[in-house]
Amino acid sequence: MSTFSGPVFDMAKTQFEAIADYIDIPHHERPRILLPKRAITVTCPIHRDDGTVAVFEGYRVQHHLTFGPTKGGTRYAADVDLGEVTALAIWMSWKCALAGLPYGGAKGGIAVDPYSLSRRELEALSRRYMQEMIPFVGPHTDVPAPDMGTNEQVMAWFMDTYSMYQGATVPEVVTGKPVSVGGTVGRREATGRGVAHLVARAMEHLNINPRGATAIVQGYGNVGSVSALTLAEMGVKILGVSDHTACYFDPSGLDLGAIEQHVAKHGVLAGYSEAGLFDPKELLIQPCDILVPAAVERVIDAATAAKLRCRILAEGANGPTTPDADLVLAQRQDEIFVLPDILCNSGGVIVSYFEWVQDIQRLFWEENEVKERANQILDRAFHQVLDRVKRDRVTNRTAAMAIGVEKVRDGKRKRGLFP
Ligand code: NAD
């Protein structure tokens, strides 16, 4: 039995096998491209505030080292396991390759509900996890970043812990740090801004006017909130938002400013208002122009895919749509335009790349430069995907993944096998 298993890993494998069939990768070559280079499991003991000791399991998976260090976020969630982290690392590889970044994919995680920890406990756990990872990460080996359940503060603790052991400040060991300790301007907003930028490109392509268009966003964290705010700045009306604590829907449009104020104060949507509370299971299937899943994976299965009533599905989250759902979407007559995750949310890793470059050079850019360069890379990837779709009559996801897989395969073949 393989160490790499579970529903999310199986999903990444199924997607890969379909791409490998499409681009004719011989079966004997496939494990070398799919399976990760390294998978690290650690246990992290911490003192709880009540005086007891708790132990949490942590993971880091490094998918391939063909183009340079591996790169990927760190997820704190109760149900994180090695299979999920591996799938996320694999998707990061295709994403970095599609964007043309000199990285392989990685991902890390700790099986913990971050909302159940005090700030002191969160700091202790983050520092212990990074300390356990020191032999395996580094600016030219593997560069962690934030993901679900982690943020700029957690990255600052990671950077500080690593630096203390090196005896010098090493900002380039993680990205997504606060700007004051070597982060780049525009990183916190980068993923959501990238989602909105690509939605704008998709709207141009489909002749939809953003003014008067409508959107629903699932997940009101880093990616979801910035996607919603940036779409609203473009004139899009936000009809629905949700997080793990509450769901709001109003067909005439929500007051995003008031929601932002509430979340800034309380951290979550719960308690925002009694009016507009909605069943989260029904949110994704309400009519809208743009649907942005920006929370967890596998929220759109075949049954939900058949009921979607959006025109653009912009995947802010990683892996929100199952392979079965993809088949349903491909057969629908009304053609929903899918911005697949490895394209749609790649603004985050693109600006993380800029942060790493700036940290190594100790030369920092203005926000406009960050935005313009990120948009250039997003536009290049978007057009490469559309050209491939036109050429081969495949879905947007198949085109995006095929471009990523082909680049990784080509790199491995050119470098050859050592020894
Ligand atoms: P986050 O922790 O900032 O926010 C996650 C949000 O999802 C929270 O609002 C949480 O309450 C909500 N949520 C969790 N479970 C939910 C559920 N079942 N239904 C509705 N909402 C739920 O995380 P994030 O960084 O915004 O990441 C969100 C997604 O975007 C993840 O899939 C992540 O892998 C992906 N992503 C993040 C980045 C990044 O730069 N942060 C980059 C690329 C992709």
Side-chain angles (χ1 to χ4, degrees), residues 75 147-149 187 191 219-223 243-244 294-295 316-318 345:
R75 176 170 293 192
D147 188 73
M148 239 173 60
R187 171 61 185 93
T191 311
Y220 203 78
N222 174 295
V223 179
D243 70 4
H244 71 287
N318 286 306
N345 66 38

Side-chain angles (χ1 to χ4, degrees), residues 145-162:
D147 188 73
M148 239 173 60
T150 58
N151 54 22
E152 291 185 349
Q153 179 58 71
V154 173
M155 295 308 111
W157 291 327
F158 279 1
M159 186 276 264
D160 182 69
T161 303
Y162 185 89

Side-chain angles (χ1 to χ4, degrees), residues 146-199:
D147 188 73
M148 239 173 60
T150 58
N151 54 22
E152 291 185 349
Q153 179 58 71
V154 173
M155 295 308 111
W157 291 327
F158 279 1
M159 186 276 264
D160 182 69
T161 303
Y162 185 89
S163 297
M164 284 302 167
Y165 277 86
Q166 304 304 314
T169 298
V170 190
E172 59 270 35
V173 72
V174 291
T175 60
K177 301 175 295 294
V179 174
S180 57
V181 289
T184 181
V185 285
R187 171 61 185 93
R188 193 168 48 78
E189 302 85 357
T191 311
R193 278 183 184 160
V195 170
H197 178 80
L198 289 167
V199 166

